[in-house]
Amino acid sequence: MSATSSTIVNLPDQKTATIPKKNYITAEDGLLSWLLTGDHKRIAMLYLISITFFFFIGGAFAGLIRLELLTPQADLVASDTYNKLFTMHGIIMVFLFLVPSVPATIGNFVIPIMIGAKDLAFPKVNLLSWYLYMVGGLFTLAALVLGGVDTGWTFTTPLSTHYLNTHVVTAGLGVFIIGFSSIFTGLNFIVTIHRMRAPGMTWFRMPLFVWSNYAASIMMVLGTPVLAITLVLVVLERTIHIGVFDPTLGGDPLLFQHLFWFYSHPAVYIMILPGMGVISEIISTFSRKRVFGYSAVAFSSVAIAIFGFFVWAHHMFIMGISNYSALVFSLLTMLVAVPSAIKIFNWSFTMQKGSVTFETPMIYAFGFLGLFTIGGMTGVFLGALGMDIHLTETYFIVAHFHFVMVGGMLMAFLAGVHFWWPKMTGRMYPESLSKLAAVTTFIGFNLTFLPQFILGYLGMPRRYHSYPAEFQVLNVLSTAGATVLGIGYMLPMIYLAWSLKYGAVAGNNPWQATGLEWQIQSPPLTENFIETPVIDYEAYDYEWLAHKTEQEVTTVG
Amino acid sequence: MHISPVLWQFLMKWLTNSALFPREASTIAPYADALYFFLLLITVVGLALVGTLVFGFALRYRKDRNPVATQVEGSTLLEATWTIIPLALFLIVFVWGALLYFRIYNPPPNAMNIYVVGKQWMWKAEHPGGQHEINALHVPTGQPIQLTMISQDVFHSFSIPDFRVKREVIPGRYSTVWFEATTPGTYHIFCTQYCGTNHSAMIGEVTVLTPEDYKKWTEGSTSGMSLAQNGERLFASMGCNACHSGNAAARGPNLAGVYGSKLRLANGSEVLVNEAYLRDAILNPSQHVTAGYAPIMPTYQGQISEEGLIDLVEYLKSLKTNYRVQQTLTTSESNNQAAPATPEVVKP
Amino acid sequence: MDNAIAVAPDTHAEDHHHAALPQLRHHFETEEQQREAGTFGMWLFLLTEIMFFGGMFFAYLLYRNWYYDAFVVASNQLSIPLGGTNTAVLITSGFFMALGVWAAEVRKKGLLVLFLVLTIAFGAVFLGIKYVEYHEKWEKHHVPGASYDIKEFVNPHAYGLNEKPLPPDMAQKTQIFFSLYFAMTGMHALHMIIGIGLLFWLLARAQRGDFSSGYVAPIENFGLYWHFVDIVWLFLFPLLYLINRHPV
């Protein structure tokens, strides 16, 4: 009993514990039943498998990049190959991993359950999203197999349209198609959250994870089409030489920059907002306490979604935009930083007067808080106009967005996977091993990316295949860190797969969390609920949960 | 613990040769670094604060010590605090950053102009005196230098980290940056915008010289023709002087002294004539028709290289009187007929 | 909320189906909810479409400001009779679509089929006329790319055009206009083609009688899409054909 007193993992008696015979996994058999499913949970699992696949491809490229940068000379691969490596790393990680990671896997799985619905509003559209994702992914892989693409993930014109003879069109079409996958996911979420909430599930009773995915969905729906049309124009310019972005024909390459960043800056929030939602759930659950300032956190998500659309030109401060627009965009960038700061403090104060335990998801969440704080603050460096001149296009910016995307988003994703894994599979993973993985990831991450801030201030440009010798020490540190980081990512892969068969049976609510998803069996039924739930309590109401548990004990006993 | 002496020496050499902080070699660098340290300070303080809160609360309220949580809804006062304080800090950073931005991008009036052409994958610098350099730039200390830059192909970006300056080099339009070097020495030039296969080879060196050494260098490496002289030759060979002769009856406007003046255009707008205007007017004349003149000038798009355009711009900047224009015109008219009707491609 | 949602008794999860119409999907509580969700989803989709076309409208505004003269002359090359006819054809098609929705709502299968056929027919006429216009542009070398020719704009009188001659540098910029013209009308036409494809599918279902019993959501939602495509054209037509029209 002493082992469990310091933890809230509440596993059923392992001698008698069983996985319910009837659940969404056993509901139907055969590959086709998965490939033609309309069940949001099964689609979430399809996504989880496919994004893991792409994550490791993208990760392998990152490993090769770091290996090449071990020495100042260009010795491991040729310049062309190196350029293809970072391009494919960027395209795969941004479009095939980060954007769909939390929404399409965890969001897909838990959002309908959290609001008391049987499924997303459009199950077929949901499946279509996954197929679009796969087709887009195949296009990207095709571009890779045919010889790669070396535009950088930003597809900058006129380089991408006139000066490269790699597979830009294939990769561009891939991203275009994945974009529609993202649009349909966002659309599905918005409709579901608006129209499918169970009786009593008011907007302000929704878990914050739903709020943050809602905000991200708005950005997906409004931002992604602009990227789509931009890529169409790039492809047209490359194939039939229309001149919309071509300076020799009178077009403006800066217009491309505006259109591209109009999507790609909000895309950063598309990636991070769902991650913030995960953190809200986890910190609340393991502090046994309602999130501090629920409405402030909810509204800050929406504020980020709105402000996020009006800061795109901060990617262009050194490109000669007018002084006035530079001022406006810098100011708005400062404003968009505030909601993130609010969230950080709200999460910290959630623990105040709580009853804190340190399960694996919580360890990841601590990692998120630290790394995201650094990532966010270094964003302020870059938002400050004069500072941006020196820092942009260097390793400083590389470190900054890796802190936000990998340190923030990926930590949140792993936190979420560990948090909802018992719900998804009905089984627990080995706790000490998973804590080790979380700590390894944290250490490896810092070792990889902290030196890059110093490199950036020294002026080492990003996307450099070779570099001056005096930058070597820091690059060696960074590569060493990447090795540790790689191990940190391999571990969950292994023990999570192991747990599918050998993990302890998790029971309905191992964390004693309050979300609706924890009140049903694990793994859930295909229709989630036996009858439509009626909600008469607030989100994160641990007293309600205690009361309910007590009742169960008395009625059963 | 035994480390072999060879290994030890290797390690020491490696560490001493490695860099941790860039040199401050321009007048701007201390200003940039000041903001950097301020930002570092608030980051460290912010991080320490978050760390203290997170670990403080996590340890103080861990389950062993606090088995039952007390539910708290929130606190408007606290939330207002952590909205307003970060906001105030960010606004300070915004103002500071904006001031620095204008300092870096607004050149002083006495700046000496050097042209830079970026192309895959090299930097070409052209000094007004006619010195050409590739992947190198010689500048004196104590003299503000303005770089007027353009790309011949894709986006590049001209960066000198030790000066804390950087600017995108864009095809089809001039961009500028300025600096004043303080310490003689050599410093890296990087292209920081990904520009294709040999992006990482598009590097060079700025050599900062004392004014005396710089004088020696300019004298030693001149090609004998200044940019303006090249431009004058081009001006005549392209037949520009046929219309822009400065005569009262000429078909084109008088160009002597036009640089730096305010010009009224045929569409009613008023523009300041600078380098970018001159370049645009040669390539897209119909959008830059001076009031009172017919839009008859042909375009020279695709017929003059960026270097040629720089020569012409530099020539027009130096043009104070039309005396020599008319001289050349008379000579060329007496030699053969008129200037060629269709200008040929000129590659200087 | 009671315990019943927590654990499934292994036997009869399936018994809880509501007695409902066959078109009610299992995950909706009521038909009204399903209908509202569908309509709401469609409106959201149209919002993304607005953003999609918005990128091109933005480019159009920018370049029209920069290269006004080129846009005037190039715009005058478009045929108002053809464009005007097309506008009328498209509005007619939209009108029949609206009638189709009405026919579905009053459960008149025959009328619905008729109106869908008419919608398709007018849509096809639109595409046919668009083809004629594109073909003419091709013959005149007004399609951007290698074969693009500016001679008519530099020397309009020699080609019987009643236009102000453009200097060559400005004449070059007409290519930008035509790039945008083809991109915008091409994307619009692509939406028409997809729409007609969907119409055939709806037609087949209408024939089968799927919409004869009061279940009209697909028809209604497609109607929204079709009207949206019309509305995009109602912006394209004035911006591309009419805005610079002037007696020379």
Side-chain angles (χ1 to χ4, degrees), chain A residues 150 290 354-356 392-393 457, chain B residues 33 61 66 73 166 192 194:
Chain A
D150 59 350
R290 184 171 159 81
S355 178
V356 183
T392 189
E393 296 173 355
Y457 204 74
Chain B
D33 290 346
Y61 297 106
N66 195 30
E73 178 53 45
K166 179 184 292 141
T192 52
Y194 174 62

Side-chain angles (χ1 to χ4, degrees), chain B residues 168-222:
Chain B
E168 203 83 0
V169 180
I170 298 168
R173 65 172 76 170
Y174 284 133
S175 55
T176 61
V177 69
W178 82 276
F179 56 82
E180 182 182 330
T182 51
T183 327
T186 58
Y187 307 95
H188 290 296
I189 299 172
F190 293 128
C191 171
T192 52
Q193 174 66 271
Y194 174 62
C195 58
T197 307
N198 288 330
H199 169 52
S200 59
M202 195 164 163
I203 53 176
E205 256 175 8
V206 195
T207 309
V208 177
L209 304 166
T210 59
E212 303 79 59
D213 288 344
Y214 179 70
K215 203 155 171 271
K216 272 186 229 151
W217 177 82
T218 34
E219 283 157 6
S221 55
T222 180

Side-chain angles (χ1 to χ4, degrees), chain B:
Chain B
M1 205 169 90
H2 293 284
I3 297 177
S4 88
V6 180
L7 193 62
W8 178 252
Q9 275 179 4
F10 176 74
L11 206 62
M12 285 317 291
K13 186 163 168 266
W14 203 43
L15 283 171
T16 42
N17 284 343
S18 70
L20 285 175
F21 195 77
R23 288 173 290 176
E24 287 186 334
S26 75
T27 50
I28 289 161
Y31 291 101
D33 290 346
L35 177 55
Y36 181 65
F37 286 120
F38 175 71
L39 280 161
L40 270 187
L41 180 75
I42 56 175
T43 305
V44 170
V45 170
L47 193 63
L49 183 66
V50 172
T52 316
L53 287 176
V54 169
F55 285 108
F57 287 147
L59 295 176
R60 166 69 186 77
Y61 297 106
R62 66 183 187 272
K63 196 175 185 185
D64 297 350
R65 288 190 58 177
N66 195 30
V68 179
T70 318
Q71 297 302 323
V72 183
E73 178 53 45
S75 154
T76 315
L77 182 68
L78 272 177
E79 283 175 39
T81 314
W82 61 62
T83 306
I84 290 165
I85 292 177
L87 180 64
L89 278 173
F90 295 161
L91 288 181
I92 293 170
V93 172
F94 161 70
V95 172
W96 194 337
L99 292 174
L100 183 64
Y101 185 80
F102 293 126
R103 188 187 285 279
I104 296 178
Y105 280 166
N106 290 350
N110 63 336
M112 178 176 106
N113 195 50
I114 298 176
Y115 293 90
V116 172
V117 178
K119 59 182 189 179
Q120 286 179 326
W121 291 278
M122 62 163 83
W123 295 109
K124 279 180 147 183
E126 309 222 323
H127 296 253
Q131 296 83 355
H132 298 269
E133 303 181 72
I134 286 179
N135 290 341
L137 181 64
H138 285 76
V139 293
T141 56
Q143 160 73 43
I145 311 282
Q146 174 178 299
L147 302 179
T148 303
M149 307 182 288
I150 193 156
S151 162
Q152 236 169 272
D153 35 46
V154 301
F155 279 65
H156 300 283
S157 192
F158 189 89
S159 156
I160 309 173
D162 292 334
F163 293 177
R164 314 287 189 273
V165 294
K166 179 184 292 141
R167 187 115 204 193
E168 203 83 0
V169 180
I170 298 168
R173 65 172 76 170
Y174 284 133
S175 55
T176 61
V177 69
W178 82 276
F179 56 82
E180 182 182 330
T182 51
T183 327
T186 58
Y187 307 95
H188 290 296
I189 299 172
F190 293 128
C191 171
T192 52
Q193 174 66 271
Y194 174 62
C195 58
T197 307
N198 288 330
H199 169 52
S200 59
M202 195 164 163
I203 53 176
E205 256 175 8
V206 195
T207 309
V208 177
L209 304 166
T210 59
E212 303 79 59
D213 288 344
Y214 179 70
K215 203 155 171 271
K216 272 186 229 151
W217 177 82
T218 34
E219 283 157 6
S221 55
T222 180
S223 59
M225 292 272 276
S226 73
L227 295 184
Q229 284 167 325
N230 281 331
E232 183 176 19
R233 201 187 268 183
L234 198 53
F235 194 76
S237 70
M238 307 282 294
C240 308
N241 52 7
C243 297
H244 299 284
S245 60
N247 290 330
R251 286 185 290 170
N254 177 8
L255 298 179
V258 74
Y259 178 79
S261 69
K262 278 240 161 84
L263 207 59
R264 184 160 287 284
L265 297 188
N267 63 14
S269 60
E270 197 168 76
V271 292
L272 174 71
V273 179
N274 55 16
E275 288 90 347
Y277 175 85
L278 290 173
R279 180 184 175 278
D280 275 358
I282 297 170
L283 298 179
N284 296 313
S286 70
Q287 282 160 278
H288 304 82
V289 180
T290 311
Y293 290 87
I296 50 169
M297 179 167 159
T299 171
Y300 289 83
Q301 183 99 48
Q303 301 178 24
I304 315 178
S305 67
E306 290 299 344
E307 285 91 343
L309 284 165
I310 286 171
D311 291 340
L312 280 175
V313 166
E314 198 57 18
Y315 169 62
L316 295 178
K317 279 170 73 176
S318 70
L319 194 65
K320 297 286 180 267
T321 152
N322 281 314
Y323 175 72
R324 277 168 62 89
V325 177
Q326 285 157 6
Q327 288 281 305
T328 334
L329 193 59
T330 345
T331 333
S332 69
E333 268 171 1
S334 56
N335 282 356
N336 40 43
Q337 276 70 46
T342 40
E344 291 149 29
V345 179
V346 175
K347 288 204 168 94

Side-chain angles (χ1 to χ4, degrees), chain A residues 121 195 244 250 252 521 527 532, chain C residues 6 26-27 29 33 48 63 67:
Chain A
R195 290 278 179 254
V244 180
D252 185 10
Q521 66 172 42
E527 296 224 325
T532 310
Chain C
H26 71 97
H27 59 290
E29 290 297 314
Q33 187 190 28
T48 72
Y63 290 125
Y67 308 129

Side-chain angles (χ1 to χ4, degrees), chain A residues 368-388:
Chain A
F368 171 94
L369 287 180
L371 300 181
F372 182 72
T373 305
I374 298 179
M377 279 308 301
T378 50
V380 176
F381 284 56
L382 294 160
L385 285 168
M387 202 76 258
D388 181 69

Side-chain angles (χ1 to χ4, degrees), chain C residues 60-201:
Chain C
Y60 172 87
L61 284 178
L62 178 81
Y63 290 125
R64 183 168 183 274
N65 267 316
W66 282 9
Y67 308 129
Y68 181 76
D69 292 343
F71 270 50
V72 170
V73 177
S75 165
N76 284 344
Q77 298 308 304
L78 302 181
S79 161
I80 288 200
L82 288 178
T85 315
N86 246 352
T87 310
V89 166
L90 201 57
I91 291 175
T92 314
S93 173
F95 175 66
F96 282 122
M97 189 65 228
L99 286 179
V101 173
W102 167 78
E105 275 167 356
V106 297
R107 307 183 186 190
K108 293 196 167 146
K109 182 181 154 189
L111 272 180
L112 172 61
V113 170
L114 173 68
F115 287 136
L116 288 182
V117 169
L118 283 169
T119 310
I120 294 175
F122 277 91
V125 170
F126 177 92
L127 289 175
I129 295 178
K130 202 77 233 162
Y131 171 76
V132 173
E133 284 191 82
Y134 278 6
H135 188 69
E136 186 207 347
K137 295 284 161 292
W138 176 257
E139 304 224 300
K140 282 174 148 181
H141 296 284
H142 288 170
V143 178
S147 66
Y148 192 78
D149 203 331
I150 59 166
K151 59 181 188 295
E152 286 176 37
F153 303 113
V154 180
N155 198 359
H157 302 300
Y159 293 90
L161 298 179
N162 187 18
E163 292 291 343
K164 197 175 69 175
L166 288 178
D169 60 319
M170 187 50 92
Q172 279 292 348
K173 309 302 190 292
T174 55
Q175 193 171 350
I176 299 265
F177 176 86
F178 282 110
S179 293
L180 286 169
Y181 166 78
F182 279 104
M184 293 167 104
T185 58
M187 275 300 145
H188 177 260
L190 184 66
H191 279 78
M192 297 278 299
I193 291 168
I194 293 171
I196 288 177
L198 290 172
L199 271 169
F200 275 110
W201 172 66

Side-chain angles (χ1 to χ4, degrees), chain A residues 21-22 118-124 176 180 183-184 187 190-191 194-196 221-222 225-226 228-229 232-233 236 240-245 249-252 255 259 262 508 516 519-521 525 527 529-534 536 544 552, chain C residues 1-14 16-18 25-29 33-34 36-38 40-42 44-45 47-49 51-53 55-56 58-59 62-63 66-67 144-146 172-173 175-176 179-180 183 187:
Chain A
K21 276 206 191 68
K22 201 170 173 67
K118 290 180 192 154
D119 204 325
L120 285 172
F122 311 116
K124 283 182 187 160
F176 177 85
F180 278 92
I183 289 174
F184 286 134
L187 189 148
I190 295 178
V191 175
H194 269 273
R195 290 278 179 254
M196 308 285 286
V221 166
L222 293 180
V226 178
I229 189 63
V232 168
L233 291 175
L236 288 180
I240 59 172
H241 307 293
I242 70 167
V244 180
F245 302 132
L249 292 179
D252 185 10
L255 176 66
L259 291 177
F262 183 83
N508 295 347
L516 264 185
Q519 316 313 322
I520 59 174
Q521 66 172 42
L525 289 167
E527 296 224 325
F529 304 98
I530 294 163
E531 56 187 51
T532 310
V534 180
D536 51 6
W544 166 84
E552 269 170 35
Chain C
M1 206 177 79
D2 60 37
N3 231 351
I5 62 161
V7 182
D10 279 348
T11 44
H12 56 276
E14 298 301 317
H16 281 266
H17 269 306
H18 301 263
R25 305 216 181 275
H26 71 97
H27 59 290
F28 288 106
E29 290 297 314
Q33 187 190 28
Q34 175 173 346
E36 277 180 354
F40 187 48
M42 198 62 212
L44 271 178
F45 180 72
L47 200 61
T48 72
E49 290 279 20
M51 297 304 287
F52 185 80
F53 280 97
M56 286 186 291
F58 183 80
L62 178 81
Y63 290 125
W66 282 9
Y67 308 129
Q172 279 292 348
K173 309 302 190 292
Q175 193 171 350
I176 299 265
S179 293
L180 286 169
M187 275 300 145

